[in-house]
Amino acid sequence: MQIDAQVKSISDINQFFIVPDYQREYVWKANDQVKQFITDIDNAFETSNNDSSYYLGSVIIVKKQDNYDVIDGQQRLTTIVLTLCALKDFLESITRTESAENFYNAIKSWLSTFNMKTASHQNRVELQYEESQNYLSYLIHKKEYKGKVTPSIQKMQAAYDAMYEYVASLNNERQEHLVDFIAFFFNKIVLVFIVSADLHGALKIFETSNQRGASLDAMDLVKNLIFSEANEKDFPDIKAKWKIVVGNIHACKEGENPLRFLRYFLMARYCDNGILREEDIYKWIISEGEPLINYKNKPIEFVNALLSASERYSKLVNATSLVDHHQTYPAVVNIGYINKYMSRQHLLLLLALDVNCEDEVINYLAKQLETLFFVNNTLGIQAKYNENNFSIWVQYFRGLKTIEQVKVAVEKTIAKYITKKAAEFKQTLLTKRHDAFNPLYRLRYILGTLENKAAELCNMPLKDHGFIQNLQVEHILPQTPKADVIPEAYGADYLEYSSQVYMLGNVTLLESQINQAVNNFNDLSADWFKQKQSEYKNSALVLSKMLDVEFSIGKNTSTNQFIHDYNYAFNEWKKEQIHQRQQVLLNLALLSWTINGQRIDQYKFTDEDEQRKNIDQVTIEIFSVHDKFHRTLILSGFC
């Protein structure tokens, strides 16, 4: 591979450069990379002497007819052009000294030269990618731009504005100071131009010199790796598909961290060795991942896989982030509520499913994952353990297309895991405080799910997310008793009283107007609970409405049957009733969050040996936590 390295100051640059259309658009931000660019150059200028130079970085190029294609360094080159445009325009706006006039003409000649062969102006740097919309040429020739303003153009304009402001500040001291800076910029700033004989060689140089695996650079490494293995005739197709991949990532607001998508994609489809860290992505791809991905022999197929995965990833992220409440993936939306809207770990298993599987298959698996997250959240299991498990389980779900196939995989993984924790889950939920399910949208979702299960059992209408999330969380036993007076029947002291107030069984969802009405019913020495009951019956929520002991509908109805079966009738409200209602909520939870349609505490495995093994394990766990649970109930005042 023939390589030629040349060290050049800006004034020595005599080549003309093209940034090919498959390269990344201009992404430097004015308050980040551009600001750092200005700071570094200003520091170098202020401390410079006649012998010192400032190294700006390297640019990888390949000869193409009369010009050079830029493979790496386009951000630096574009920023240099923007700086010179700012210098040119500022000098044009002031009365120039002779020295400033000479530099003004030199800048114009450097930016664009009349090509006698083509009888047209040739710009020093031409941006061919679509997002540029030829904006740089308009800026060079100071023409009004009236085209589409892309994000790339916005960043170029912001960079130009920052440069112009910096240039103006130099002139504020004296014009000679500005002239000195221009001389420094032209003659003392140097770049190393690495010239390769062909594109594949240039891409290989880029690959080996940029194995940093950080931020957007790692995505560029993968992109250029694909281009280095593909035929040039396929470049337009790859470029178009890559643009869609990037667009999909931006569509779910993950553009600042595209490596999260890349990491989950690789773990979901190819990696069998556990968790793949972002910093190890590129190294893994070119080593042990190479025969699995087969990007050398089938680069187009790899791009197609990225494309299809990015489409699913974008939709799933939006559903999880509660941005998209459509009914395609309702269980994924639910995960956003139950496991926080910034959670992403579940995407690993959902991306593993066959690229052409139906949405209902994705949603089915998401429903099982929702149960897992609810159990883990209840038990206080940290999120990092989910990813550990998922990185192992992913092999069971890879390429599955039907719900029946998913059921089998769920039984071998999620069901096996959860059934072992069923006893501990039940015991924990019975003593759970409601604030353990913060943030508030999660608590509302959990209470709303239990409400809908009760409504389903009572043959009453279900409530959607919009309705549930607009409700208020009502503490039945009031948070602030009137005059802070707590009768002995409600606890020996404020600490004991408070422990009852914040139990999950003591909260219910309520419409805001009704909640306002019951707020004043807090005199524990009076008939406060009956006063509240008279308002609860006005609620549209089953579990709140039925807190009124006199509430009933007809005879032998499903509602009355529910009240009877679940012992959901309360004449008073003390710690015994709170525990009684918490038991009801537990039963509703076991009916709401199931695995393969079965309660997690009654799950029957298809494989009898596996079933017997899990039963034995659960029995051991029941005995091991029995004493601890009994002590917890005593301390909580329930025994």
Side-chain angles (χ1 to χ4, degrees), residues 377-622:
N377 286 333
T378 301
L379 295 177
I381 295 175
Q382 295 182 8
K384 64 181 180 180
Y385 295 110
N386 293 329
E387 188 163 281
N388 288 333
N389 286 329
F390 293 175
S391 68
I392 298 170
W393 296 347
V394 68
Q395 300 174 58
Y396 291 91
F397 294 94
R398 196 170 286 154
L400 301 187
K401 297 182 68 172
T402 67
I403 289 179
E404 289 306 312
Q405 291 173 334
V406 171
K407 284 182 178 179
V408 174
V410 165
E411 183 155 295
K412 294 178 180 178
T413 55
I414 301 174
K416 182 178 178 182
Y417 171 87
I418 285 185
T419 52
K420 290 180 180 179
K421 297 185 178 300
E424 183 185 359
F425 165 78
K426 292 168 66 175
Q427 294 156 5
T428 301
L429 194 59
L430 278 178
T431 58
K432 201 73 173 176
R433 288 168 58 102
H434 75 77
D435 50 8
F437 291 117
N438 285 338
L440 198 54
Y441 65 77
R442 177 196 281 174
L443 176 61
R444 286 197 189 102
Y445 172 72
I446 291 172
L447 293 174
T449 300
L450 302 178
E451 162 67 26
N452 277 334
K453 178 53 65 174
E456 178 188 327
L457 295 173
C458 294
N459 292 322
M460 297 183 72
L462 306 186
K463 305 296 187 294
D464 61 23
H465 289 302
F467 181 85
I468 294 296
Q469 291 300 318
N470 281 318
L471 297 172
Q472 295 184 357
V473 176
E474 147 75 354
H475 292 79
I476 303 169
L477 190 63
Q479 288 177 283
T480 54
K482 185 176 181 180
D484 289 330
V485 175
I486 303 175
E488 186 176 345
Y490 294 98
D493 52 31
Y494 183 79
L495 183 62
E496 182 181 350
Y497 178 81
S498 179
S499 68
Q500 301 171 48
V501 168
Y502 293 100
M503 293 295 294
L504 185 65
N506 188 57
V507 292
T508 190
L509 293 175
L510 208 57
E511 297 87 340
S512 59
Q513 287 186 332
I514 300 176
N515 193 43
Q516 291 173 13
V518 300
N519 276 342
N520 295 324
F521 301 148
N522 60 351
D523 185 353
L524 299 184
S525 62
D527 56 352
W528 67 274
F529 185 56
K530 287 186 178 180
Q531 290 176 316
K532 282 195 170 187
Q533 287 178 312
S534 66
E535 296 294 339
Y536 289 153
K537 68 181 180 182
N538 297 321
S539 174
L541 301 160
V542 175
L543 291 177
S544 298
K545 186 190 296 286
M546 290 193 300
L547 285 170
D548 177 18
V549 72
E550 296 180 0
F551 176 81
S552 66
I553 298 179
K555 294 182 179 180
N556 300 321
T557 62
S558 54
T559 300
N560 292 342
Q561 189 65 43
F562 178 91
I563 294 172
H564 176 269
D565 291 346
Y566 285 85
N567 193 23
Y568 202 83
F570 309 104
N571 290 302
E572 59 179 350
W573 195 259
K574 297 176 182 176
K575 61 183 179 182
E576 292 81 4
Q577 286 73 36
I578 294 173
H579 177 57
Q580 178 182 334
R581 186 169 182 271
Q582 193 133 340
Q583 179 69 60
V584 174
L585 299 184
L586 168 62
N587 289 330
L588 292 174
L590 291 169
L591 293 173
S592 300
W593 286 285
T594 61
I595 291 295
N596 282 339
Q598 300 184 54
R599 285 172 53 131
I600 65 173
D601 61 335
Q602 299 175 1
Y603 193 90
K604 294 183 179 180
F605 285 87
T606 304
D607 185 331
E608 293 183 1
D609 291 336
E610 187 64 44
Q611 180 181 3
R612 187 162 46 253
K613 187 193 307 181
N614 277 271
I615 291 174
D616 292 342
Q617 181 64 36
V618 170
T619 302
I620 293 172
E621 292 187 10
I622 289 174

Side-chain angles (χ1 to χ4, degrees), residues 261 263-271 274-276 312-313 316 344-353 365 369 386-395 397-398:
F261 158 69
R263 185 167 79 93
Y264 281 146
F265 163 72
L266 294 173
M267 290 175 64
R269 299 290 179 87
Y270 305 104
C271 184
I275 295 175
L276 179 63
R312 180 180 295 178
Y313 182 86
L316 293 175
R344 298 289 181 268
Q345 296 163 328
H346 55 289
L347 304 183
L348 177 55
L349 296 184
L350 299 179
L351 286 174
L353 298 174
L365 177 54
L369 290 170
N386 293 329
E387 188 163 281
N388 288 333
N389 286 329
F390 293 175
S391 68
I392 298 170
W393 296 347
V394 68
Q395 300 174 58
F397 294 94
R398 196 170 286 154

Side-chain angles (χ1 to χ4, degrees), residues 213-230:
S215 189
L216 284 169
D217 289 332
M219 283 292 284
D220 284 342
L221 283 171
V222 174
K223 180 181 70 172
N224 282 279
L225 185 65
I226 294 170
F227 276 107
S228 68
E229 301 298 341

Side-chain angles (χ1 to χ4, degrees), residues 23 30 55 88 90 188 210 235 244 306-307 313 329-330 337-338 355 484 575 586 603 613:
Q23 289 289 10
Y55 172 63
K88 170 182 68 71
F90 182 79
K188 295 301 180 179
N210 287 275
F235 281 10
I244 296 174
L306 278 166
L307 177 60
Y313 182 86
Y329 303 122
Y337 283 109
I338 201 75
V355 64
D484 289 330
K575 61 183 179 182
L586 168 62
Y603 193 90
K613 187 193 307 181

Side-chain angles (χ1 to χ4, degrees), residues 98-114:
E98 182 179 351
S99 179
E101 180 69 21
N102 291 333
F103 273 116
Y104 171 72
N105 291 325
I107 292 172
K108 290 179 65 177
S109 297
W110 191 95
L111 287 170
S112 183
T113 300
F114 187 77

